[in-house]
């Protein structure tokens, strides 16, 4: 690559508008050179600057008694007591994963792991939320294979278990899949580190892999729409090296046990540029950097390339002056490159030198605090009204309800995901108490009696039909999953995946979803401590459903009191908690899509006050060991929740006999598959019945006893009946069958 | 001076990757392929030295590290 | 009684082995960095799982060159108990301490799942308390656990009682369906002729506590403790 003259056209090629280019000229008092233009373009990209989302993200509650670090750092941190904290974040790697699924997903996992261990935390678990196009879309199988193998290839090698997540399919993701990766780590309070470059004269140190021409302009790629040429962008996708990252992880944690450093940050999107300017910005300092001292993998790289490279597995460290040798010794022990490339200065300028000349000289604030912020126009799309109209009475009633039941349970969306989870090492580190397949994953925290429950969730059909309610549901449902495991939701991170924010209808979706999420967070007292926005999820002008994925983290003071979603023993009684919230709600339901080919109507209503009481009750019931299982009604309604409690058991399927909890006058298919918010299927020992009912009363939760566990069939009396073993088989085989994958 | 080293699975050692590739080729309608064996190809840049000397060293490298002779065969080509 | 847990660049089950030894089996355990060339003072060696050197070239191929492996060979030669788990097994194969080699799983996928093992011999220091015929529920997690050896070697392994574990059904039948990776003759673990070096693909350290779903793996560590105690360690 060679230097090129700078012009407004060149700026436009870099994704900067005419106004933005003018703003750069004003801030610098001159024209930027080519290197500086590159630096501005990545720092002012949507991905790094959050310029379209920032004003809305402020609506999230971010404080709380447990919050040690809210948004704005590499990852959020929450206190869990006994001097320990959890650090976690979720991030998207959508575009790279569509272009090159294996490497795209792998480097997504690598990036989020670095975000977490940069804070000083040892990663103990990952989750992934994956959304693909229709199962029968010609590209889907290839993408599923590649993404799953990429996550496995990276996570397994570095030795962090992938303990759960979701895999979902919808036509809207045909040309733009979503890969959202989440990692959680554990850190002692006194070992928390942040990305700050304080202390004038302190050395700036580069560690990790050498720099190559990887992913030049990955950050701007992540901020642009797809077109037919996207597949030609392949060379800009980075290649991950989990082995080097494992060494980097161990070396960084070893370094952090000393007090030789001041701050540390991952070189993620926009590499050396974002790490150096962001660290200086947080400390209110500047820096001087010499690019000749950057370890390089390729020959003839120019400053533009060195500053913008997204080579993986690199970190920037600011150490205490005079402690350089300690840093060097540790990284050399782990066979990693280490080089002092500059120092912290006090004048608020970022200066970059190369071959004895200054090649960039930019005020730090110009790239960070003075980056553009947009309040983009938003407008409810005209199609929303027609989308929301649905006449249930007009839907043809299926003649064979048992067949529909089996079909829903075996569609790739609902079917057993063992094909996926078998490829992830989900047991390493020996903390996993609940293996993948329950509402939430549960891990123990070694050295304490505590447990951590985690769930990642979003129903994007709901968000499409009503982003406000859909956003509320994403928060409520992930919190409910965690509460069903017996844990208290203590904080969340999110990945907000949306279309092009320059379109008012997309901006409307975005702000509505955030407002809904924020309202639910307030009601459930759950702070948002980290997150990521991914815009421009569009292909040839067609946007995805708004998909604000939520990853909820919960705390169990006593890990042994966790719950699972599957029935425990024959003879146990089955209850519906929150039974008064049952109703005919077909809008956005799985049944409507799978059986009638429609995404229409309005999502089920939410009652936040009820939700809060329900979840408090669930935790109390778990803590007092009153229940044997808890599973919330979500996709597929009462019939599918019941089926899941029967057949997802690791020890094999069991039957159940229940009454129809709906009024007799309601159509049988509606009773089975209506999706309700705030209803949970519980089971308990026969002798524990009265104690459970009594426990629900103070929380004003309506309990209805519906049946009993056992038998060969799953039987909703008078409505439909299937053989437990048959349904189990169809569910187990559905995923591979639906996608045409080999077993 | 460059050397090329080809490492292949021995005859009789099952090659699951080769089998899968063979099946995919058949799926694609690319017929006439009887068997596929997947191996490794390495390119080594050597300091100038006599060919015999180089070959001797490479033989040792293959035996001790580059190939596992329990399951793999190797072949060395020296250029220039 | 002191056990060494070797740490290579890329080892990642080292902490799990350490935890099972120290907090479950009650053995004094210590990490040993791969550049160390002595194992003086240790009574047993655990080569843990992981992806040493990223599995680059071949699994275990680069780790076998580490200085500590010379010490492991001497230790094993003197009859000291050595167990290689997963990648540790692969390293022992590459180092020539055990016969055979590993190739890619027949499914071409990484597989992480519980499997059942039929124990065939209690002659090793790690299976002394596991009567032959026992069935153990233990997880596997690997991409290259497909054991290969030529017919002569396989015959001799069986002849000399060196097959320690085979993959089986929950009721102990050795079937193709019970084999998670395509291993020759369902082999999951083997020992050397003397019996003091054991290599196994499944992870006993992951199932040494009931809260994790199985504690069958604990018998491997308890056997080791008994063996060492009997010898006054």
């Amino acid at each position: 690559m060679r230097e090129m003259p700078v012009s407004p056209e060149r700026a436009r090629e870099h994704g900067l508008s005419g106004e933005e280019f003018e703003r750069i000229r004003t801030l610098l008092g001159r024209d930027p050179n080519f290197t500086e233009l590159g630096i501005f373009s990545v720092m002012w990209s949507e991905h790094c600057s959050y310029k379209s989302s920032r004003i809305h993200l402020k609506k999230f509650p971010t404080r709380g008694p447990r919050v040690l670090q809210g948004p704005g750092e590499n990852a959020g941190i929450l206190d869990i007591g006994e001097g320990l904290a959890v650090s976690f974040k979720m991030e998207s790697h959508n575009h790279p994963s569509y272009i090159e699924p294996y490497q795209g997903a792998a480097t997504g996992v690598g990036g989020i792991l670095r975000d977490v261990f940069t804070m000083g935390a040892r990663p103990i678990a990952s989750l992934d939320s994956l959304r693909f196009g229709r199962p029968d879309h010609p590209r889907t199988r290839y993408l599923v294979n590649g993404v799953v193998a990429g996550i496995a290839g990276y996570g397994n090698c570095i030795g962090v278990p992938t303990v759960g997540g979701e895999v979902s399919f919808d036509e809207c993701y045909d040309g733009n899949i979503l890969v959202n990766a989440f990692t959680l780590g554990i850190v002692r309070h006194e070992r928390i580190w942040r990305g700050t470059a304080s202390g004038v004269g302190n050395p700036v140190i580069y560690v990790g892999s050498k720099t190559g021409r990887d992913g030049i302009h990955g950050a701007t790629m992540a901020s642009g729409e797809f077109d037919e040429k996207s597949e030609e962008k392949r060379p800009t996708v980075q290649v991950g090296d989990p082995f080097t990252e494992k060494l980097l992880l161990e070396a960084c944690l070893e370094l952090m046990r000393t007090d030789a450093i001041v701050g540390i940050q991952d070189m993620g999107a926009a590499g050396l540029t974002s790490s150096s300017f962001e660290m200086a910005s947080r400390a209110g300092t500047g820096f001087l950097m010499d690019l000749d001292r950057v370890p390089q993998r390729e020959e003839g790289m120019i400053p533009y390339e060195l500053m913008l490279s997204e080579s993986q597995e690199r970190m920037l460290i600011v150490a205490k002056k005079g402690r350089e040798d300690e840093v060097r010794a540790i990284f050399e022990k782990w066979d990693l490159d280490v080089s002092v490339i500059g120092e912290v200065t006090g004048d608020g300028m970022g200066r970059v030198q190369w071959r004895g000349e200054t090649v960039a000289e930019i005020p730090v604030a110009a790239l960070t605090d003075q980056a553009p912020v947009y309040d983009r126009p938003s407008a409810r799309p005209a199609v929303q009204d027609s989308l929301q109209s649905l006449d249930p009475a007009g839907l043809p009633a299926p003649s064979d309800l048992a067949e529909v039941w089996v079909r829903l349970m075996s569609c790739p969306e609902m079917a057993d995901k063992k094909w996926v989870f078998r490829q992830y090492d989900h047991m390493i580190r020996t903390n996993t108490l609940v293996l993948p397949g329950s509402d939430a994953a549960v891990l123990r925290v070694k050295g304490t009696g505590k447990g951590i429950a985690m769930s990642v969730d979003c129903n994007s059909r709901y968000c499409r039909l009503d982003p406000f309610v859909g956003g509320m549901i994403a928060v409520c449902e992930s919190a409910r999953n965690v509460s069903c495991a017996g844990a208290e939701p203590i904080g969340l991170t999110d990945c907000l995946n949306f279309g092009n924010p320059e379109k008012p209808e997309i901006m409307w979706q975005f702000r509505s979803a955030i407002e809904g999420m924020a309202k639910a967070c307030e009601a459930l007292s759950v702070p948002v401590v980290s997150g990521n926005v991914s815009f421009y999820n569009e292909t040839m002008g067609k946007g995805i459903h708004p998909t604000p994925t939520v990853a909820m983290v919960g705390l169990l003071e006593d890990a042994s009191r966790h719950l699972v979603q599957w029935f425990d023993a024959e003879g146990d009684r089955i209850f519906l908690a929150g039974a008064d919230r049952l109703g005919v709600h077909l809008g956005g339901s799985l049944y409507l899509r799978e059986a009638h080919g429609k995404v229409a109507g309005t999502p089920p209503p939410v009652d936040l006050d009820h939700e809060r009481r329900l979840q408090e009750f669930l935790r109390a019931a778990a803590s007092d060991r009153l229940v044997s299982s808890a599973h919330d009604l979500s996709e597929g309604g009462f019939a599918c929740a019941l089926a899941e409690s029967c057949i997802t058991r690791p020890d094999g399927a069991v039957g159940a006999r229940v009454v129809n909890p709906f009024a007799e006058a309601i159509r049988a298919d509606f009773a089975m598959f209506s999706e309700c918010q705030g209803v949970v299927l519980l089971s308990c020992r026969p002798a524990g019945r009265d104690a459970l009912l009594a426990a629900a009363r103070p929380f004003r939760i309506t309990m209805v006893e519906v049946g009993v566990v056992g038998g060969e069939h799953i039987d909703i009396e008078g409505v439909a009946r299937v053989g437990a073993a048959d349904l189990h088989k169809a569910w187990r085989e559905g995923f591979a069958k639906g996608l045409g994958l080999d077993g | 001076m460059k050397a090329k080293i080809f490492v292949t699975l021995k005859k009789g050692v099952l090659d699951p990757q080769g089998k899968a590739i063979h099946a995919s080729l058949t799926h694609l309608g690319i017929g006439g392929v009887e068997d596929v064996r997947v191996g490794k190809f390495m390119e080594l840049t050597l300091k100038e030295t006599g060919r015999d000397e180089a070959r001797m060293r490479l033989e040792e490298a293959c035996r001790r590290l580059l190939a596992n002779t329990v399951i793999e065969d190797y072949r060395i080509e020296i250029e220039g | 009684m002191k056990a060494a847990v070797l740490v290579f660049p890329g080892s990642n089950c080292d902490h799990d082995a350490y935890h099972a030894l120290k907090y479950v089996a009650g053995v004094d355990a210590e990490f040993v960095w791969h550049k160390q060339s002595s194992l003086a003072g240790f009574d047993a060696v655990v080569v843990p799982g992981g992806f040493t050197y990223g599995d680059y070239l071949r699994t275990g191929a680069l780790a076998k060159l580490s200085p500590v492996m010379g010490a492991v060979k001497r230790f094993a030669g003197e009859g000291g108990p050595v167990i290689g788990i997963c990648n540790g097994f692969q390293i022992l194969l590459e180092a020539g301490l055990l016969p055979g080699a590993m190739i890619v799983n027949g499914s071409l996928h990484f597989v992480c799942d519980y499997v059942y093992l039929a124990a065939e011999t209690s002659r090793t220091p790690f299976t002394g308390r596991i009567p032959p015929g026992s069935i153990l529920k233990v997880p596997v997690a690997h991409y290259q656990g497909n054991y290969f050896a030529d017919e002569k070697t396989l015959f001799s392994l069986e002849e000399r009682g060196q097959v320690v574990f085979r993959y089986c059904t929950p009721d102990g039948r050795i079937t193709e369906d019970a084999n998670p990776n395509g291993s020759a003759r369902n082999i999951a673990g083997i020992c050397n002729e003397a019996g003091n070096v054991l290599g196994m693909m499944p992870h006993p350290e992951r199932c040494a506590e009931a809260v994790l779903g199985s504690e069958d793996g604990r018998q491997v560590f308890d056997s080791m403790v008994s063996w060492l105690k009997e010898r006054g360690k």
Side-chain angles (χ1 to χ4, degrees):
Chain A
M1 192 170 192
R2 59 188 172 77
E3 297 270 336
M4 282 184 270
V6 170
S7 63
E9 289 72 43
R10 184 82 62 220
R12 222 176 348 266
E13 285 166 24
H14 279 72
L16 292 163
S17 69
E19 280 166 35
E20 287 171 341
F21 184 61
E22 271 314 305
R23 191 182 172 106
I24 292 170
R25 295 178 52 174
T26 311
L27 285 167
L28 289 180
R30 60 180 164 82
D31 277 358
N33 63 30
F34 185 56
T35 304
E36 290 168 335
L37 180 72
I39 290 172
F40 271 100
S41 76
V42 291
M43 288 299 288
W44 284 11
S45 71
E46 200 59 64
H47 190 83
C48 291
S49 74
Y50 292 86
K51 58 190 170 190
S52 303
S53 58
R54 193 172 281 203
I55 60 162
H56 298 293
L57 295 174
K58 286 190 181 140
K59 295 169 187 165
F60 284 138
T62 58
R63 289 169 202 277
R66 292 184 185 275
V67 178
L68 301 178
Q69 177 64 58
E73 260 289 347
N74 290 293
I77 303 182
L78 293 168
D79 177 29
I80 59 165
E82 295 184 37
L84 292 170
V86 288
S87 171
F88 58 89
K89 192 184 180 187
M90 183 158 55
E91 204 159 84
S92 61
H93 231 215
N94 306 337
H95 296 70
S97 301
Y98 183 79
I99 292 172
E100 166 42 55
Y102 184 98
Q103 293 298 345
T107 51
V109 173
I112 196 67
L113 283 163
R114 282 195 301 284
D115 277 334
V116 168
F117 73 73
T118 300
M119 306 300 292
R122 179 175 281 280
I124 63 158
S126 294
L127 303 172
D128 297 283
S129 169
L130 311 177
R131 283 164 212 282
F132 300 99
R134 281 170 293 140
D136 57 356
H137 185 273
R139 204 172 153 81
T140 299
R141 182 171 57 168
Y142 162 75
L143 291 168
V144 170
N145 255 316
V147 166
V148 170
I151 290 169
Y154 209 101
N156 298 353
C157 180
I158 197 166
V160 176
T162 304
V163 296
E166 46 172 3
V167 185
S168 175
F169 301 87
D170 195 287
E171 189 179 355
C172 73
Y173 306 111
D174 278 353
N176 193 125
I177 62 171
L178 301 185
V179 174
N180 294 177
F182 164 96
T183 291
L184 176 136
I186 301 275
V187 59
R188 297 208 66 83
H189 288 190
E190 68 274 16
R191 298 242 173 91
I192 293 171
W193 293 98
R194 293 183 169 83
T196 171
S198 54
V200 174
N202 279 335
V204 175
I205 306 176
Y206 171 117
V207 300
S209 291
K210 290 180 167 56
T211 297
R213 291 188 173 91
D214 312 78
I216 305 269
H217 267 208
T220 44
M221 176 171 90
S223 308
E225 275 183 45
F226 271 14
D227 54 35
E228 285 157 339
K229 288 186 183 144
S230 291
E231 287 194 46
E232 291 169 19
K233 288 185 181 169
R234 206 181 270 256
T236 69
V237 172
Q238 319 90 303
V239 172
D241 178 0
F243 170 60
T244 298
E245 176 130 318
K246 168 70 174 164
L247 304 184
L248 193 59
L249 161 69
E250 297 301 336
C252 285
L253 292 183
E254 192 171 323
L255 176 66
M256 288 161 169
R257 285 195 287 270
T258 74
D259 65 343
I261 65 170
V262 171
I264 176 165
Q265 179 156 337
D266 158 41
M267 289 193 220
L272 201 48
T273 294
S274 64
S275 52
S276 54
F277 280 98
E278 284 174 13
M279 283 177 82
S281 165
R282 290 196 196 100
T285 55
F287 62 88
L288 177 67
M289 196 154 69
D290 182 357
L291 293 180
D292 296 316
R293 293 200 235 159
V294 171
Q296 295 170 35
R297 200 180 69 218
E298 296 181 65
E299 282 175 21
M301 292 180 70
I302 61 171
Y304 179 95
E305 294 170 309
L306 288 163
M307 289 304 288
L308 268 52
S309 163
E310 293 194 352
S311 289
Q312 297 285 297
E313 292 92 23
R314 305 177 300 162
M315 295 276 207
L316 200 65
I317 291 171
V318 173
K320 290 181 184 158
K321 196 169 173 60
R323 309 285 293 271
E324 294 87 340
D325 288 346
E326 277 174 65
V327 178
R328 198 183 304 276
I330 289 172
F331 284 87
E332 282 173 355
K333 171 189 163 188
W334 289 96
D335 297 326
L336 293 163
D337 271 298
V338 49
S339 175
V340 176
I341 60 168
E343 64 174 44
V344 178
T345 59
D347 64 354
M349 292 293 286
R351 280 193 194 82
V352 182
Q353 293 181 329
W354 182 62
R355 298 188 179 169
E357 278 175 40
T358 299
V359 290
E361 191 168 21
I362 306 172
V364 171
L367 288 167
T368 52
D369 302 341
Q370 291 164 337
V373 174
Y374 297 123
D375 184 1
R376 296 196 187 274
S378 76
R380 186 174 186 269
V383 298
Q384 212 64 25
D385 287 332
S386 62
L387 258 177
Q388 290 188 340
S389 74
L390 173 70
D391 169 25
L395 297 169
S399 56
D400 184 349
L401 284 170
E403 183 274 327
V404 179
W405 200 0
V406 174
R407 181 147 45 101
L408 287 193
M409 287 300 296
S410 59
C411 76
E413 181 97 7
M414 294 291 279
D416 188 4
K417 305 297 189 298
K418 194 160 185 178
W419 184 92
V420 176
F421 291 124
R422 240 167 97 94
Q423 296 187 51
Y424 301 155
D425 191 333
H426 47 264
M427 303 181 198
I428 193 165
R429 304 204 64 80
T430 63
N431 296 319
T432 318
L433 302 181
V434 176
L435 302 183
S438 195
D439 278 333
V442 181
L443 283 91
R444 66 174 172 185
V445 180
K446 282 196 189 113
T448 74
K450 293 173 194 290
I452 303 289
M454 290 166 288
S455 170
V456 56
D457 219 275
C458 180
N459 185 321
S460 67
R461 292 189 302 278
Y462 293 172
C463 294
R464 173 80 174 105
L465 299 172
D466 187 331
F468 181 83
V469 176
M472 280 205 293
I473 290 176
V475 172
C476 289
E477 199 159 335
S478 56
R480 202 183 310 129
N481 287 340
V482 161
S483 294
C484 278
E488 181 198 352
I490 56 171
L492 69 82
T493 180
D494 57 45
C495 252
L496 307 173
N497 308 277
F498 289 78
N500 180 349
E502 294 158 48
K503 295 180 184 167
E505 62 270 26
I506 300 291
M507 212 55 218
W508 173 81
Q509 291 177 337
F510 183 73
R511 65 179 292 173
S512 305
I514 283 188
E515 284 162 8
M517 290 168 74
K519 195 169 171 201
C521 286
E522 300 277 6
L524 302 176
S525 309
V526 177
V528 177
V529 296
S530 57
N532 150 258
V533 178
S534 172
F535 280 131
Y536 299 99
N537 288 289
E538 301 197 357
T539 303
M540 290 180 262
K542 194 173 172 297
I544 58 163
H545 289 343
T547 314
T549 313
V550 172
M552 187 68 68
V553 173
L555 178 65
L556 278 143
E557 287 298 340
D558 178 354
S560 74
R561 290 170 196 253
H562 71 264
L563 289 176
V564 289
Q565 72 175 29
W566 43 82
F567 293 140
D568 182 52
E570 300 223 353
D572 279 2
R573 307 293 161 180
I574 306 170
F575 297 84
L576 278 178
D580 54 330
R581 308 260 329 134
L582 289 173
V584 174
H585 306 304
L586 294 166
S589 66
L590 185 73
Y591 172 66
L592 199 60
R593 186 184 76 179
E594 293 295 317
H596 300 282
K598 277 183 204 287
V599 175
T602 52
V606 178
D607 176 340
L608 291 172
D609 174 57
H610 177 268
E611 189 68 51
R612 184 183 181 107
R613 286 184 280 113
L614 173 75
Q615 294 191 23
E616 283 169 355
F617 161 61
L618 289 170
R619 298 194 294 270
S623 169
D624 295 340
R625 300 192 198 272
L626 298 176
V627 282
S628 326
S629 74
H631 183 34
D632 76 323
L633 268 59
S634 60
E635 277 189 302
F638 172 66
C640 290
L642 176 70
E644 283 176 333
S645 286
C646 288
I647 66 173
T648 57
R649 305 165 81 236
D651 296 336
V654 65
R657 205 176 67 248
V658 299
V659 295
N660 177 5
F662 283 78
E664 233 171 87
I666 289 171
R667 250 172 72 168
D669 56 336
F670 296 174
M672 288 177 77
F673 305 120
S674 267
E675 297 182 4
C676 311
Q677 285 294 306
V679 189
V680 172
L681 199 64
L682 299 175
S683 69
C684 76
R685 297 280 182 267
R689 179 183 180 277
D690 294 343
L692 179 60
L693 293 177
R697 255 169 247 136
F699 297 98
R700 290 178 287 125
I701 295 302
T702 306
M703 297 283 283
V704 170
E705 186 169 351
V706 289
V708 61
V709 177
E712 312 255 293
H713 292 90
I714 306 171
D715 188 355
I716 305 175
E717 284 173 0
V719 176
R721 189 172 98 131
V722 289
D726 296 340
L727 188 66
H728 190 215
K729 184 169 186 290
W731 172 76
R732 266 195 347 246
E733 294 171 351
F735 189 83
K737 232 179 222 172
L739 285 152
L741 296 158
D742 46 30
Chain B
M1 187 157 143
K2 291 221 189 237
K4 289 178 177 169
I5 293 176
F6 301 85
V7 178
T8 48
L9 280 175
K10 283 194 161 137
K11 254 198 190 140
V13 177
L14 178 77
D15 179 3
Q17 293 184 68
K19 247 173 67 183
I21 293 168
H22 189 227
S24 298
L25 287 172
T26 313
H27 276 308
L28 284 173
I30 300 175
V33 180
E34 284 196 4
D35 192 20
V36 179
R37 305 283 286 169
V38 177
K40 295 190 193 99
F41 166 65
M42 296 169 231
E43 200 171 60
L44 280 67
T45 309
L46 307 174
K47 283 197 179 128
E48 282 309 320
T49 172
R51 287 177 73 94
D52 292 347
E53 161 96 30
R55 181 166 288 277
M56 225 171 63
R57 268 194 227 150
L58 291 170
E59 283 280 348
E60 192 192 346
C62 285
R63 273 199 320 273
R64 291 185 57 190
L65 179 64
L66 303 182
N68 177 346
T69 53
V70 175
I71 44 171
E72 292 168 332
D73 289 324
Y74 59 87
R75 195 175 88 234
I76 300 167
E77 283 179 12
I78 298 177
E79 288 179 349
Chain C
M1 186 186 305
K2 202 158 105 181
V5 177
L6 307 191
V7 183
F8 297 87
S11 294
N12 64 22
C13 301
D14 44 350
H15 287 265
D16 300 352
Y18 181 90
H19 178 84
L21 284 166
K22 190 152 185 169
Y23 299 108
V24 182
V27 184
D28 189 14
E30 211 173 278
F31 291 117
V32 174
W33 183 237
H34 74 118
K35 282 182 182 162
Q36 257 174 254
S37 51
S38 163
L39 286 164
F42 290 103
D43 304 305
V45 174
V46 179
V47 193
F51 283 72
T52 50
Y53 294 96
D55 274 359
Y56 299 146
L57 190 61
R58 290 182 311 280
T59 57
L62 302 176
K64 77 173 175 199
L65 304 173
S66 285
V68 79
M69 287 311 293
V72 172
K73 278 184 188 168
R74 285 191 298 278
F75 184 84
E78 289 158 10
V82 177
I83 180 172
I85 301 167
C86 197
N87 187 225
F89 184 13
Q90 295 163 338
I91 294 170
L92 295 179
L93 290 169
E94 279 281 345
L97 281 161
L98 291 170
M102 288 296 172
I103 56 175
V104 174
N105 294 347
S107 65
L108 294 181
H109 291 305
F110 188 97
V111 54
C112 176
D113 207 349
Y114 269 101
V115 297
Y116 291 89
L117 303 178
E120 295 202 354
T121 173
S122 48
R123 62 184 284 228
T124 82
F126 306 96
T127 55
R129 290 177 57 174
I130 308 174
S134 304
I135 297 163
L136 278 62
K137 187 185 166 200
V138 183
V140 291
H142 58 249
Y143 179 59
Q144 301 192 47
N146 187 345
Y147 181 73
F148 174 86
D150 58 33
E151 282 301 313
K152 217 176 97 196
T153 308
L154 289 171
F155 180 79
S156 129
L157 282 173
E158 290 182 334
E159 188 78 351
R160 294 176 186 167
Q162 287 176 247
V163 175
V164 182
F165 296 114
R166 285 186 217 258
Y167 300 109
C168 67
T169 60
D171 56 358
R173 286 171 300 120
I174 312 295
T175 66
E176 207 180 311
D177 283 350
N179 186 341
N181 50 35
S183 273
R185 302 191 191 176
N186 281 42
I187 286 175
I190 54 170
C191 64
N192 61 350
E193 251 190 278
N196 63 314
V197 179
L198 168 67
M200 61 189 294
M201 286 314 290
H203 287 272
E205 81 282 12
R206 293 190 182 186
C207 56
E209 296 163 87
V211 292
L212 298 174
S214 164
E215 53 183 344
D216 290 355
R218 184 176 174 159
Q219 299 176 47
V220 169
F221 302 104
D222 286 346
S223 294
M224 185 191 90
V225 171
S226 302
W227 191 90
L228 289 171
K229 270 191 187 150
E230 282 161 19
R231 282 153 187 80
K233 306 282 185 186

